[in-house]
Amino acid sequence: MTRRVPVAVHAGDPLLQAGVTAQLRPRPEVEVLRPDEEERAEVSLVVVDRVDESAVLLLRRLQRASTTRTGLIVGEFGQNALRVTIECGVAAVLRRAEADQDRLLELITALVRGEGMLPGDMLSRLLDHVGRLQRNSADTQGFNLSTLTAREVEVLRLISEGFDTGEIAVKMSYSERTVKNILHEVTTRLQLRNRAHAVGHVMRQGLI
């Protein structure tokens, strides 16, 4: 990154907040904001032990702030936690045990670029959960394959399998710019916040 990214750190515990802040503050790529500066944040990091009611309220408040992209650093995940966080507009998730300085910067960089970051096992858990929901529900709310083009579905499927933009471009013989344009078109047309939200949305409808 060529500039300092303004980052706000929110935590359910002062020790968690202090720990993440201490790791980020020495990095020249990041400007850690004070609480009274949070409106300038381009990236908001939420650090919690688990996704409980208070965490969801905070995530929804940040979701309403159109100028920030939200990442979640979490200790443990319940069965429905990842689905809930995606519905709250979270684009990147990192386990607290893996949240060293470099991984935190990787997460922030992904958010600035409009990309997502999800551990593979969390994505598998979400896919399994969504599959169960789909089998138990006959109501698709009018959302079906005709809403998306074949290449849009394929791009979202590859994202759900963990491929990044460059890898998808190679696999589909497109330029990286074309892949990004496809993602932008999907998120804009369906009024979604980011690619993670788009993947979660179409998975809930059983399309991928």
Side-chain angles (χ1 to χ4, degrees):
M1 291 181 286
T2 58
R3 62 182 180 83
R4 301 184 75 196
V5 177
V7 175
V9 179
H10 306 266
D13 180 286
L15 289 177
L16 296 179
Q17 181 152 356
V20 171
T21 299
Q23 292 202 70
L24 290 177
R25 201 175 291 283
R27 296 298 297 241
E29 305 95 334
V30 173
E31 177 191 3
V32 181
L33 301 175
R34 300 189 308 270
D36 61 346
E37 299 177 311
E38 288 174 1
E39 70 278 358
R40 293 203 294 113
E42 292 182 24
V43 169
S44 293
L45 299 182
V46 174
V47 192
V48 293
D49 287 319
R50 62 188 59 84
V51 183
D52 55 17
E53 184 178 354
S54 61
V56 171
L57 288 174
L58 173 57
L59 291 171
R60 292 202 184 281
R61 177 172 70 81
L62 293 172
Q63 185 179 27
R64 293 191 292 268
S66 60
T67 59
T68 190
R69 298 182 178 92
T70 302
L72 179 69
I73 298 111
V74 64
E76 61 183 59
F77 254 64
Q79 183 177 358
N80 298 326
L82 186 55
R83 177 181 59 83
V84 171
T85 58
I86 288 177
E87 290 175 351
C88 289
V90 173
V93 177
L94 182 63
R95 281 196 175 85
R96 233 178 51 219
E98 302 169 352
D100 59 21
Q101 194 177 85
D102 290 336
R103 290 285 282 163
L104 286 169
L105 189 63
E106 181 183 350
L107 180 144
I108 291 167
T109 302
L111 289 168
V112 168
R113 291 176 177 169
E115 299 174 353
M117 194 171 96
L118 295 175
D121 64 306
M122 290 186 184
L123 183 55
S124 296
R125 187 184 304 178
L126 178 60
L127 285 166
D128 290 342
H129 180 71
V130 171
R132 288 194 298 272
L133 287 178
Q134 284 301 120
R135 287 191 294 272
N136 293 333
S137 174
D139 180 15
T140 60
Q141 298 178 351
F143 189 89
N144 51 53
L145 278 172
S146 65
T147 312
L148 299 171
T149 67
R151 72 176 188 172
E152 287 170 346
V153 171
E154 183 62 18
V155 166
L156 291 171
R157 180 177 288 113
L158 289 170
I159 289 173
S160 76
E161 293 173 359
F163 294 100
D164 63 26
T165 304
E167 291 169 330
I168 293 171
V170 171
K171 280 182 171 291
M172 298 186 68
S173 300
Y174 292 150
S175 70
E176 195 166 344
R177 179 179 294 275
T178 296
V179 174
K180 289 180 179 178
N181 286 342
I182 292 170
L183 289 168
H184 177 74
E185 170 62 25
V186 171
T187 54
T188 300
R189 191 171 70 248
L190 301 181
Q191 298 182 337
L192 303 168
R193 282 180 60 84
N194 49 53
R195 64 182 63 190
H197 192 189
V199 170
H201 188 73
V202 296
M203 285 193 299
R204 284 197 301 278
Q205 304 303 329
L207 301 184
I208 64 174

